[in-house]
Amino acid sequence: MKGARATAVELAALHVDRPDPASSLVRACRAALSRRCSVGLTLAADAALAQRVSLAAVGPLAGRGETLQINLGEGPCVQSLSRLAPVLAPDLDDTDVTGAWPVFAAQARADGIRAVFAIPVVGARPAVPQPGLVLSLYRDRPGDLPEADLRTARTHVLAAELLLLAAPVPGEDSAADAWLLPTDAVVHQATGMISYRHALTTGQALALLRSHAHLRGTDLTDLAHAIVHRGLRLPDPPPPDPAGP
């Protein structure tokens, strides 16, 4: 019986020459699952998903689930990347599971997502933070993920890691765009503008951007686009309390 790594190598070889290898692999993962799930794949530079690329979203729930986690900076994908361990949430009504990300859970339920399973590439934690891959499965009904499907997801995220390592350097080949160029670069531009205008750190600027996106009920990328391209200015944040906490 072949091990997961050997199977992942074979999977990567099947998809490496496809025009969009990430989406091709994610579609294959979805087809291989015994229980129907939508599947998302995220490449993130940090556990807060402040810098990320959404590589693929296949199925009716994946796009919204991926966007919610990026907009809110919380969710099972964020927690999985932070812990470098799978996060399995078979029922988003279970507050014992969703306590670390209640806003995501509430909004995901409103969008018809009832269960989420986030599986990262698991290895030794590096001394210097490195980009991480997380494959997320979204279901429209509660229920545990069968062990066979968990193995399938792990194998496909390993294959995604191999495909990423094989990707050409940006500028050498347009195929690199699907893997390495951020689709939401406007978010980083907006964060930089907010940081400059309000004399904030980039972390504080991103938090301010997220809070206003939440208050306005809009996606983070849409708000960032308005700031960068339409001259929108956010109100100044309240000054810190001199008395402290």
Side-chain angles (χ1 to χ4, degrees):
M1 181 177 178
K2 288 182 295 188
R5 177 64 66 172
T7 303
V9 169
E10 292 181 0
L11 272 172
L14 285 174
H15 297 277
V16 69
D17 291 326
R18 304 286 172 84
D20 183 350
S23 292
S24 177
L25 181 70
V26 166
R27 284 193 295 270
C29 178
R30 187 172 188 239
L33 297 170
S34 66
R35 290 193 178 180
R36 198 65 165 169
C37 298
S38 296
V39 183
L41 182 65
T42 301
L43 171 66
D46 57 48
L49 297 185
Q51 299 176 21
R52 62 81 172 155
V53 183
S54 180
L55 298 176
V58 175
L61 303 176
R64 185 57 181 158
E66 298 287 287
T67 297
L68 272 178
Q69 297 195 75
I70 300 306
N71 285 357
L72 299 171
E74 68 170 49
C77 177
V78 181
Q79 187 176 24
S80 176
L81 184 63
S82 177
R83 294 181 175 181
L84 288 183
V87 172
L88 310 179
D91 187 351
L92 293 189
D93 282 326
D94 184 352
T95 55
D96 288 340
V97 174
T98 65
W101 25 273
V103 179
F104 169 83
Q107 294 194 20
R109 289 196 307 268
D111 287 330
I113 300 171
R114 299 301 309 280
V116 186
F117 309 94
I119 298 92
V121 174
V122 178
R125 185 181 292 274
V128 178
Q130 298 292 325
L133 278 170
V134 181
L135 189 143
S136 299
L137 309 180
Y138 302 90
R139 283 181 50 81
D140 63 0
R141 65 202 68 186
D144 291 327
L145 186 70
E147 184 61 33
D149 284 351
L150 182 58
R151 288 196 299 271
T152 295
R154 283 173 171 157
T155 301
H156 281 76
V157 78
L158 279 174
E161 180 188 38
L162 294 172
L163 286 173
L164 179 61
L165 292 172
V169 175
E172 292 183 358
D173 192 301
S174 60
D177 294 351
W179 286 101
L180 301 178
L181 297 183
T183 56
D184 61 348
V186 69
V187 173
H188 308 310
Q189 289 177 285
T191 300
M193 292 173 68
I194 294 167
S195 175
Y196 176 77
R197 288 173 178 171
H198 300 281
L200 301 172
T201 66
T202 54
Q204 291 169 333
L206 179 63
L208 184 64
L209 182 64
R210 278 182 169 145
S211 67
H212 278 279
H214 180 63
L215 287 172
R216 293 164 181 254
T218 188
D219 283 342
L220 196 70
T221 303
D222 291 340
L223 181 58
H225 190 276
I227 291 169
V228 173
H229 297 293
R230 299 203 297 272
L232 177 68
R233 295 182 68 95
L234 298 183
D236 288 327
D241 184 352

